[in-house]
Amino acid sequence: MSKPRVAVYKMSSCAGCQLEILNLEPILLDLLGTVELSYFVMARRENEPGPYDIGLVEGAITCGEEIERLKKARQECHLLVALGSCACYGGLPSIKNWQPQRVVESRVYDNLAAIHSTTAYGIDYYVPVDAYLKGCPVSREELLDFIKSTLLGVRPYLRPHSVCVECKLHENVCLFVTDGAICLGPVTTAGCGALCPSRGKPCDGCRGPANDANTVSLAQTMVSYGLHHSDIARYFRKFAGMTPEFSKGAEAV
């Protein structure tokens, strides 16, 4: 029986989520015993053409060339997975969406004639997506669980609740209540193991909105902590500002 063929695509991103695949060092050889990484430009000199069983897409879509590559990836792959916050929501590249396009481009490039950038979106703005692996970068454990579940033909357990739940399970002191630190944990999807709060750093919301996230209430709490509207908007727009839930938070006050 042939092994499932996996393709890894890169769009506009820092490549950190692809690197997390290679960072599975202790079990990487075991993983390669169960799947074939057929297309992975970061890791292979020569890549094989599709079709593929699983396609992992890292990065936001920010130009026409990426739209065409994404549509081709969708045609090539049986399952298409958004890998990381950029592919899920637009991620950090989507910060530019709230400023005039040419103003943003002029801060980076001298010659704008060759630039054909567009509004940054997650990949499901253009093609259907079968699963979302969130985070900046993506959680290695969640990525591995997803691959194992797919190989076993069972539904992967992707957590719907908030980071606060994981924080409580780790018996962390609440940075928001105790230290007055602005934390997006109450409205952010769990699955990272409360990685940042467990190390004394408030949650930045890189995994996007949890189910039933009350971002309006959180924004009002931020006001009571003395934050200006522009600061609150930046908190919600840092990683997932294009989602309806975080947009409500950014515009609530």
Side-chain angles (χ1 to χ4, degrees):
M1 181 177 177
S2 60
K3 295 186 288 188
R5 306 181 76 223
V6 177
V8 182
Y9 303 90
K10 181 185 181 304
M11 304 298 174
S12 290
S13 63
C14 69
C17 291
Q18 291 183 89
L19 193 58
E20 286 299 89
I21 299 174
L22 299 180
N23 283 340
L24 291 168
E25 291 173 359
I27 52 90
L28 187 57
L29 292 179
D30 293 334
L31 178 65
L32 294 177
T34 57
V35 301
E36 178 184 344
L37 286 174
S38 302
Y39 181 88
F40 191 2
V41 173
M42 177 184 278
R44 292 185 57 134
R45 287 192 181 91
E46 297 180 3
N47 291 277
E48 301 170 4
Y52 311 106
D53 296 290
I54 303 173
L56 304 173
V57 182
E58 179 200 64
I61 304 303
T62 64
C63 64
E65 181 268 342
E66 288 177 338
I67 296 171
E68 295 307 314
R69 285 202 290 124
L70 176 63
K71 289 181 177 178
K72 183 173 183 292
R74 177 67 274 185
Q75 293 173 350
E76 292 176 332
C77 299
H78 176 62
L79 291 177
L80 196 70
V81 181
L83 186 71
S85 296
C86 295
C88 289
Y89 308 117
L92 291 177
S94 68
I95 293 173
K96 71 171 185 145
N97 293 349
W98 285 272
Q99 298 183 50
Q101 186 75 28
R102 275 317 207 194
V103 171
V104 175
E105 292 168 355
S106 64
R107 292 177 182 172
V108 181
Y109 303 101
D110 293 329
N111 179 13
L112 301 185
I115 305 302
H116 305 289
S117 181
T118 62
T119 304
Y121 288 111
I123 65 174
D124 65 0
Y125 187 80
Y126 295 103
V127 299
V129 173
D130 298 298
Y132 299 83
L133 297 178
K134 305 170 182 177
C136 181
V138 67
S139 161
R140 272 176 261 170
E141 292 74 17
E142 200 167 60
L143 170 62
L144 192 58
D145 284 347
F146 174 80
I147 293 175
K148 286 194 291 187
S149 298
T150 302
L151 293 177
L152 293 171
V154 300
R155 188 181 182 87
Y157 177 52
L158 301 176
R159 296 156 185 80
H161 49 260
S162 75
V163 171
C164 279
V165 175
E166 292 185 323
C167 220
K168 293 300 181 187
L169 290 173
H170 284 76
E171 300 184 352
N172 292 335
V173 172
C174 180
L175 300 171
F176 209 156
V177 174
T178 305
D179 295 348
I182 301 302
C183 181
L184 293 190
V187 297
T188 300
T189 304
C192 58
L195 184 63
C196 292
S198 297
R199 288 155 180 78
K201 180 182 180 303
C203 173
D204 277 342
C206 77
R207 294 179 60 82
N211 279 12
D212 300 324
N214 191 344
T215 53
V216 173
S217 176
L218 182 61
Q220 291 167 348
T221 302
M222 290 177 175
V223 171
S224 71
Y225 276 51
L227 261 68
H228 188 270
H229 168 74
S230 58
D231 295 321
I232 295 171
R234 278 193 283 271
Y235 269 102
F236 282 110
R237 288 172 177 169
K238 184 174 181 181
F239 287 100
M242 298 298 285
T243 62
E245 296 88 348
F246 277 19
S247 290
K248 288 179 184 176
E251 299 167 1
V253 294

